[in-house]
Amino acid sequence: MAAQRRMLMQSHQSWTDDLPSCQMCGVGTAPNCVYSPDSKGSQAHPMEDGHLRFRGEDGCFLYGVFNGYDGSRVANFAAQRLTAELLLGQLNSSHTDKDVHRILTQAFDVVERSFFETIDDALAEKALLDDGLSPQNQKVQERLKDLEQEVSGGATAVVALILDNKLYIANVGTNRALLCKSSVDGQNQVLQIGRPHSTDNEDELQRLAALGVDAARVRQAGQIAGQSSVRRLGDYRVKFNYSEIDLLSAAKSRPIIAEPEIHGSQSLEGVTGFLLLMSEGLINALESAHGPEQVNQEIVAMVAAELAQQTNLEAVAQSVVERVKRLHHDVYVSGRQRAPYCSRHEDMTLLIRTLNYPLADAVHTPTHGGRIYPVSVPYSNSQSTSKTSVTLSLVMPSQNTLTNGTNTASTLEEGTPTPSQSPTATLQSTNNQTQSSSSSSGDGGLFQSQRGNQVAQPDETGRVPPYVDFSQFYRLWGSDHSDSQSTQGGLGPQ
């Protein structure tokens, strides 16, 4: 087995090209973006994120999202080599949880050591030139620059393993895993599996303090060598030269590690829902736009909405990423409270793995969906805090609620409408300080139903005509934007 692995790793063709890709998952991505003062975006560097999604033998599935930085080399290497260490017969259904934890930990260790082996020669040459054993001329300086680019960079990783219908999560760094599942009482539970290994993680700060590092200074700095993660793959600077980094110089041993924190197993027997793996860039973009309080619920709501409308998981994942990107941009151009936090975003990656969760079909209608359908609403450029500057979600009829852990946070107001009733429109303000809602079935509400209690009937294309009147909303919006065109005709701001 070891000889086969070495032969495959040394070949020019990636051995993972022959592995079957999992068809029960989709991946969405978006490159980094920096906004100019005129709100135009430009990409600051090539895409550095990576991912994997493979189906092995013996009921084994492997997924991962890798957030690369200072280049994509580590992320790409980790995605390839980690797969080699886990899907070439190392795992089978007879393994206990302890066995799986051991194999996962060993796999990450091999990935870390193997990557540094690939840059050994470059590191040696760089050290030779840095020590001044060669003339310090322009040619040497250019070579040093090339070597630095070759050896620098790192990645954080979140990996999901499904083996014998049991879920294991291995995390290194600041990516995130969410599991959304329907419980026996009909609720949708959103579980964040593990905590990010960031500079405000108390357990990680205690680990650093035990090594002699000033944890208070680390917390205050918020970053170590340009990154907020205290566990990483690669990054030779913090692994071999940590004594030269002020925050880490007092450490007795290597403080930044690649050892994964492993959670599981968690049985997926009879579970209906979906698993989300998200890169740090996606999380940070949504947190920058709306604050960190409801990020998990927002992402799950977006995914559920797209699953109700899309028939392809790749389209679902990409639509959610594009929505987050659009929200982030809209907050920046609004000039409102959180706009200064949204001047740029990093690469974004979202992996969705469904668990007995149905996709939309051609005759699926909103009134039978029991889903949440986000609607894009333009942000105001004014500095007012009018209730018309909102993110709008149309909450479709459902008896389900959304809980974060054990704390219930219903996505519907009390008195959830039945399928024969009109939906409730929920408005969340962009400053994350207030939340209001109004039902379209009452008089004087912000949105008025055009259909009353009639059930929506699809046409020959499977679509239903609009049944929410936005004219009053647009009149309110227009009153805050005297320089905008009139919205009395119901067309809304362009």
Side-chain angles (χ1 to χ4, degrees):
M1 183 67 69
Q4 179 189 11
R5 187 161 60 246
R6 283 195 301 271
M7 180 181 67
L8 289 169
M9 291 301 296
Q10 292 170 359
S11 65
H12 292 291
Q13 180 182 8
S14 169
W15 75 270
T16 57
D17 291 344
D18 296 327
L19 272 179
S21 178
C22 177
Q23 300 302 311
M24 291 180 288
C25 93
V27 178
T29 63
N32 59 91
C33 187
V34 179
Y35 302 125
S36 61
D38 61 358
S39 303
K40 294 182 179 179
S42 60
Q43 191 171 335
H45 56 76
M47 184 78 168
E48 296 172 333
D49 281 4
H51 66 271
L52 63 87
R53 44 173 170 175
F54 292 115
R55 173 173 56 86
E57 299 178 350
D58 202 15
C60 184
F61 300 86
L62 186 65
Y63 312 95
V65 167
F66 303 87
N67 177 41
Y69 59 89
D70 294 338
S72 60
R73 181 172 180 177
V74 178
N76 293 336
F77 182 90
Q80 291 255 340
R81 189 59 189 262
L82 195 62
T83 308
E85 296 301 320
L86 293 173
L87 290 186
L88 278 182
Q90 297 91 336
L91 292 163
N92 60 69
S93 58
S94 66
H95 282 132
T96 64
D97 287 352
K98 185 177 180 179
D99 293 332
V100 174
H101 283 222
R102 173 180 52 80
I103 293 170
L104 283 169
T105 300
Q106 289 176 348
F108 274 85
D109 180 61
V110 169
V111 169
E112 173 90 339
R113 289 189 289 106
S114 299
F115 174 74
F116 287 129
E117 287 175 2
T118 67
I119 62 173
D120 270 349
D121 292 342
L123 284 173
E125 183 180 353
K126 182 176 182 300
L128 184 68
L129 296 177
D130 280 336
D131 286 342
L133 298 181
S134 296
Q136 294 300 302
N137 54 36
Q138 184 177 355
K139 186 175 181 180
V140 171
Q141 293 298 330
E142 291 176 354
R143 179 56 181 162
L144 277 171
K145 184 178 179 180
D146 291 341
L147 288 171
E148 179 65 25
Q149 185 175 2
E150 183 178 344
V151 302
S152 65
T156 59
V158 60
V159 172
L161 170 69
I162 298 178
L163 180 64
D164 194 28
N165 220 19
K166 294 186 291 186
L167 174 65
Y168 302 84
I169 298 292
N171 184 46
V172 173
T174 47
N175 300 320
R176 185 174 299 181
L178 296 180
L179 178 63
C180 178
K181 60 179 182 177
S182 297
S183 60
V184 292
D185 57 359
Q187 294 184 332
N188 289 324
Q189 293 183 327
V190 182
L191 307 174
Q192 179 175 326
I193 304 177
R195 293 185 59 200
H197 301 129
S198 58
T199 53
D200 59 0
N201 183 317
E202 289 296 337
D203 291 338
E204 290 299 293
L205 290 174
Q206 291 180 18
R207 179 180 67 80
L208 294 176
L211 297 175
V213 175
D214 189 336
R217 287 187 61 202
V218 171
R219 183 198 297 273
Q220 184 178 13
Q223 290 188 338
I224 299 175
Q227 300 296 320
S228 63
S229 56
V230 294
R231 298 196 188 197
R232 318 171 187 177
L233 292 167
D235 202 337
Y236 83 95
R237 294 171 298 176
V238 297
K239 301 294 176 62
F240 300 121
N241 300 335
Y242 63 86
S243 61
E244 300 174 6
I245 299 173
D246 183 40
L247 283 174
L248 306 178
S249 59
K252 303 172 186 175
S253 60
R254 185 179 295 179
I256 307 299
I257 59 176
E259 179 182 348
E261 184 176 1
I262 302 173
H263 302 269
S265 64
Q266 180 160 339
S267 176
L268 299 178
E269 194 69 38
V271 171
T272 299
F274 46 84
L275 172 70
L276 306 181
L277 301 183
M278 304 178 288
S279 69
E280 181 184 5
L282 180 71
I283 302 163
N284 288 347
L286 193 53
E287 286 186 348
S288 296
H290 287 173
E293 295 82 7
Q294 299 294 322
V295 165
N296 291 351
Q297 289 89 336
E298 286 192 73
I299 284 289
V300 167
M302 293 180 194
V303 171
E306 295 299 333
L307 286 170
Q309 301 176 79
Q310 305 275 6
T311 58
N312 178 279
L313 279 172
E314 207 78 4
V316 170
Q318 191 61 44
S319 295
V320 172
V321 171
E322 292 296 331
R323 177 168 172 77
V324 172
K325 182 177 180 179
R326 186 168 61 250
L327 286 171
H328 184 271
H329 174 266
D330 288 350
V331 171
Y332 174 72
V333 301
S334 73
R336 291 185 179 274
Q337 181 179 359
R338 300 202 64 84
Y341 303 106
C342 297
S343 61
R344 63 180 298 151
H345 67 74
E346 278 300 327
D347 302 327
M348 297 188 285
T349 300
L350 171 66
L351 185 149
I352 303 172
R353 166 52 150 96
T354 54
L355 305 166
N356 304 310
Y357 198 95
L359 286 171
D361 55 51
V363 297
H364 191 80
T365 65
T367 55
H368 296 96
R371 309 288 193 199
I372 304 171
Y373 291 79
V375 178
S376 295
V377 177
Y379 284 86
S380 168
N381 284 322
S382 72
Q383 297 300 317
S384 70
T385 56
S386 167
K387 68 179 180 180
T388 61
S389 180
V390 297
T391 299
L392 170 67
S393 295
L394 295 181
V395 183
M396 307 312 295
S398 172
Q399 299 300 322
N400 295 346
T401 57
L402 182 68
T403 63
N404 186 17
T406 58
N407 298 322
T408 301
S410 175
T411 58
L412 300 180
E413 300 296 325
E414 292 186 7
T416 302
T418 64
S420 62
Q421 294 176 316
S422 302
T424 297
T426 300
L427 306 179
Q428 295 178 323
S429 66
T430 57
N431 60 17
N432 294 288
Q433 293 176 351
T434 60
Q435 178 168 318
S436 61
S437 64
S438 61
S439 173
S440 62
S441 60
D443 294 334
L446 182 59
F447 304 101
Q448 297 296 329
S449 171
Q450 297 177 336
R451 186 176 285 125
N453 290 335
Q454 299 177 11
V455 176
Q457 297 298 325
D459 58 20
E460 64 276 4
T461 67
R463 299 178 178 178
V464 296
Y467 57 92
V468 177
D469 183 2
F470 287 87
S471 59
Q472 185 177 354
F473 167 81
Y474 286 128
R475 284 195 294 271
L476 290 172
W477 192 91
S479 67
D480 283 346
H481 300 72
S482 57
D483 57 342
S484 300
Q485 69 179 42
S486 172
T487 60
Q488 297 297 325
L491 296 177
Q494 301 301 313

